[in-house]
């Protein structure tokens, strides 16, 4: 690849090993699974950070010549959807579809590439039931009164991903809606694979009676089904490591299941606002739509990219305004350079291209990659003020800033590819 150091390759932190390691997929294509949203509310800044970081990682893998098969799911049946539907007296399916369409629009506005497959949990019920049956047959699960629980005692590796002590796991899972004191559980950390239908709740038939799947079994089932049993890169927000991803590993690998379920775990850190993690339950949400009334999609993307994906950070309106200024500078550099009255100055793009590649290969250091482009824009503007154009600098900016970092620069609206694939997915929801 032009000017990109192919010897060293991408090195990326893997949550399971707790180390920055070479990214080594098992084969071609690279099989990617990202946990998608539970559609019951608007896209907030935390979602935007997670999906923009995944987007840049996947754009960089593509730029490095990898072919991808990318699945992102929708958790379209969940306690939070049913609760929101009850509060609004709205059909839970309609509520889920409404917020899914909104999410798809937000991803398009942010120029985030769409997954190849966008499966819904409610469309995978027969496969989920089959997964639960296999876990029961293998002695990894047990049934009580129409509920089926995963038995953590059957999987010695439980806790290996999150590295949390048992007491902390119990606290976190309780905060996420599990009930460690459920008397039907053999162990407080056992989790629901299948949940008996409650009053006024939807249900699907199963060998254990009418009910619905647990959250974790949906993802390990859909990942296994759509990616042929194993995943090269499993991605999501850091708050999913436990219990969600920990439990996905247990389900997939218990009793002779295929191991490793995922070769590489990628987690985007939490965004904080007013001192706390941004979350609906804490009431401190910063919505993407509200921010986009004040800044451009490029400005918001640059603000997200100015933070390394593994560092939790605090939202600041001042910092966002500076990112919007930077978006304006990059745009000016590109459009100034396209003025027809400028003379051409021979210029070597390789040092910038290499510095940019080294930054992303070094555990996706997007702040350093953004700094390379900011510095390049300064030099372009200086040259154009002197009546000169650095030959090839505009193309380099469009290539690295546009194709890799997903900025639109002087182009209106999202990439054609972004629109085409999301619109195709969206057609299934309207
Ligand atoms: Zn998931």
């Amino acid at each position: 690849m032009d000017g990109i150091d192919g010897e060293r390759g991408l090195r990326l932190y893997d949550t399971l090993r707790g180390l920055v390691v070479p990214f080594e997929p098992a084969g071609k294509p690279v099989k990617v699974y990202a946990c998608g949203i539970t559609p019951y509310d608007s896209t907030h800044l935390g979602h935007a950070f997670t999906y923009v970081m995944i987007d840049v990682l996947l754009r960089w893998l593509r730029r490095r010549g990898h072919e991808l098969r990318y699945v992102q799911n929708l958790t379209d049946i969940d306690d939070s959807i049913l609760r929101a539907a009850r509060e609004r007296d709205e059909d839970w399916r309609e509520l889920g579809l409404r917020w899914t369409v909104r999410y798809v629009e937000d991803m398009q506005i942010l120029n985030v590439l769409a997954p190849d497959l966008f499966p819904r949990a409610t469309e995978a019920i027969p496969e989920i039931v089959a997964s639960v049956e296999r876990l029961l047959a293998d002695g990894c699960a047990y049934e009580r009164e129409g509920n089926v629980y995963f038995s953590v005692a059957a999987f010695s590796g439980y806790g290996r991903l999150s590295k949390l002590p048992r007491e902390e796991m119990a606290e976190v899972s309780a905060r996420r809606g599990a009930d460690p004191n459920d008397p039907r559980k053999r162990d407080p950390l056992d989790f629901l694979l299948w949940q008996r239908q409650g009053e006024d709740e939807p249900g699907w038939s199963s060998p254990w009676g009418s009910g619905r799947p647990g959250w974790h079994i949906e993802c390990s089932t859909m990942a296994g089904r759509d990616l042929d049993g194993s995943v090269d890169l499993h991605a999501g927000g850091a708050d999913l490591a436990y219990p969600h991803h920990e439990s996905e590993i247990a389900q997939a690998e218990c009793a002779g299941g295929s191991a490793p379920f995922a070769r590489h775990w990628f987690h985007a850190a939490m965004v904080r606002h007013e001192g706390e993690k941004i979350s609906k339950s804490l009431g401190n949400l910063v919505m993407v739509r509200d921010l986009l009334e004040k800044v451009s999609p490029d400005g918001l993307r640059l603000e997200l990219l100015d933070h390394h994906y593994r560092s939790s950070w605090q939202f600041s309106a001042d910092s966002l305004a500076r990112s919007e200024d930077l978006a304006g500078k990059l745009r000016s550099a590109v459009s100034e350079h396209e003025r027809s009255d400028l003379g051409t100055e021979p210029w070597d793009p390789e040092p910038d291209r290499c510095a940019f590649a080294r930054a992303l290969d070094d555990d996706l250091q997007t702040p350093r990659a953004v700094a390379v482009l900011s510095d390049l824009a300064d030099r372009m503007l200086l040259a154009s003020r002197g009546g000169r154009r650095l030959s090839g600098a505009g193309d380099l900016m469009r290539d690295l800033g546009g194709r890799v970092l997903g900025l639109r620069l002087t182009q209106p609206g999202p990439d054609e590819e972004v629109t085409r694939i999301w619109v195709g997915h969206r057609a299934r929801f309207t």
Side-chain angles (χ1 to χ4, degrees):
M1 174 169 310
D2 292 354
I4 288 180
D5 174 9
E7 294 293 308
R8 195 152 177 266
L10 170 65
R11 293 172 62 83
L12 200 61
Y13 184 82
D14 171 40
T15 311
L16 185 64
R17 283 171 279 187
L19 290 170
V20 175
V21 293
F23 176 68
E24 288 169 337
K28 293 178 187 173
V30 178
K31 297 190 286 182
V32 181
Y33 188 90
C35 286
I37 56 155
T38 302
Y40 70 102
D41 206 341
S42 191
T43 313
H44 63 62
L45 192 63
H47 296 130
F49 187 56
T50 294
Y51 295 113
V52 166
M53 289 297 137
I54 294 171
D55 187 48
V56 171
L57 173 59
L58 300 187
R59 285 170 178 270
W60 184 235
L61 286 172
R62 291 201 332 179
R63 190 67 178 74
R64 271 204 153 287
H66 291 284
E67 187 196 331
L68 307 179
R69 179 172 174 82
Y70 173 27
V71 179
Q72 184 186 130
N73 74 296
L74 261 179
T75 304
D76 65 343
I77 177 69
D78 183 84
D79 285 344
S80 43
I81 295 178
L82 297 177
R83 200 180 313 119
R86 236 176 268 126
E87 282 167 11
R88 297 179 51 90
D89 197 21
E90 185 177 2
D91 179 82
W92 66 274
R93 282 183 191 272
E94 277 169 22
L95 180 129
L97 290 178
R98 191 158 53 79
W99 286 117
T100 299
V101 168
R102 179 78 170 244
Y103 167 73
V104 167
E105 286 170 2
D106 288 339
M107 290 298 106
Q108 284 178 253
I109 295 168
L110 286 174
N111 203 37
V112 171
L113 287 166
D116 302 304
L117 295 174
F118 193 41
R120 284 188 268 184
T122 54
E123 293 172 338
I125 303 289
E127 293 96 328
I128 293 168
V129 167
S131 297
V132 178
E133 285 182 309
R134 179 184 68 77
L135 289 169
L136 279 164
D138 289 347
C140 302
Y142 55 95
E143 191 247 327
R144 293 279 183 279
E145 301 170 18
N147 283 343
V148 182
Y149 299 92
F150 184 89
S151 171
V152 296
F155 185 66
S156 61
Y158 200 71
R160 225 172 47 201
L161 179 74
S162 60
K163 300 162 184 67
L164 293 176
R166 271 184 66 91
E167 314 76 65
E168 213 173 319
M169 284 199 254
E171 276 173 37
V172 176
S173 62
R175 279 206 301 276
R176 295 304 199 79
D179 179 7
N181 301 316
D182 178 348
R184 291 163 294 193
K185 286 185 179 179
R186 291 180 188 159
D187 183 307
L189 296 183
D190 290 351
F191 54 87
L192 280 165
L193 297 169
W194 188 263
Q195 183 168 356
R196 189 176 66 177
Q197 184 176 17
E199 217 174 299
D200 298 331
E201 284 183 358
W204 289 264
S205 60
S206 82
W208 322 286
S210 192
R212 60 189 162 100
W215 173 31
H216 317 312
I217 196 71
E218 297 172 358
C219 275
S220 59
T221 302
M222 287 187 278
R225 178 191 68 184
D226 293 337
L227 295 172
D228 304 324
S230 67
V231 182
D232 291 307
L233 176 68
H234 199 312
D239 56 344
L240 298 187
Y242 183 82
H244 187 51
H245 293 160
E246 192 79 65
S247 304
E248 276 194 66
I249 294 173
Q251 292 161 164
E253 297 186 9
C254 186
S258 61
F261 167 57
R263 292 172 69 86
H264 206 107
W265 288 92
F266 177 90
H267 288 111
M270 296 292 99
V271 183
R272 286 175 286 117
H273 181 45
E274 295 164 348
E276 300 274 7
K277 167 191 145 183
I278 290 182
S279 82
K280 186 167 171 65
S281 54
L282 292 168
N284 62 343
L285 295 177
V286 180
M287 298 303 185
V288 165
R289 291 283 172 115
D290 295 339
L291 296 178
L292 289 173
E293 283 180 10
K294 300 177 193 115
V295 299
S296 65
D298 275 6
L300 181 50
R301 261 187 101 103
L302 283 165
E303 176 63 9
L304 301 171
L305 294 170
D306 202 30
H307 299 89
H308 185 238
Y309 76 93
R310 283 200 286 130
S311 304
S312 177
W313 54 284
Q314 173 91 18
F315 169 69
S316 139
D318 290 346
S319 179
L320 180 62
R322 285 194 295 275
S323 292
E324 180 63 10
D325 289 345
L326 174 58
K329 182 172 86 175
L330 301 185
R331 271 194 291 272
S332 299
V334 170
S335 57
E336 277 283 302
H337 249 55
E338 285 164 357
R339 269 170 44 202
S340 56
D341 58 341
L342 296 179
T344 301
E345 188 171 315
W347 171 79
D348 180 8
E350 288 315 302
D352 286 294
R353 195 185 283 281
C354 286
F356 183 92
R358 274 197 302 274
L360 293 191
D361 275 345
D362 181 10
D363 193 24
L364 207 71
Q365 290 287 349
T366 53
R368 260 169 50 203
V370 169
V372 170
L373 297 190
S374 173
D375 183 59
L376 172 60
D378 286 336
R379 281 176 282 138
M380 289 165 72
L381 287 166
L382 191 66
S384 60
R385 262 179 248 133
R388 313 290 289 172
R389 174 193 300 125
L390 304 180
S391 102
D395 292 341
L396 186 69
M397 186 68 88
R398 285 200 193 282
D399 180 29
L400 303 182
R403 270 186 228 119
V404 180
L405 296 188
L407 304 173
R408 296 303 289 144
L409 301 168
T410 57
Q411 306 291 314
D415 283 342
E416 182 277 327
E417 183 188 7
V418 166
T419 304
R420 179 169 43 83
I421 302 178
W422 278 122
V423 165
H425 291 316
R426 189 181 151 168
R428 291 169 45 226
F429 297 98
T430 44

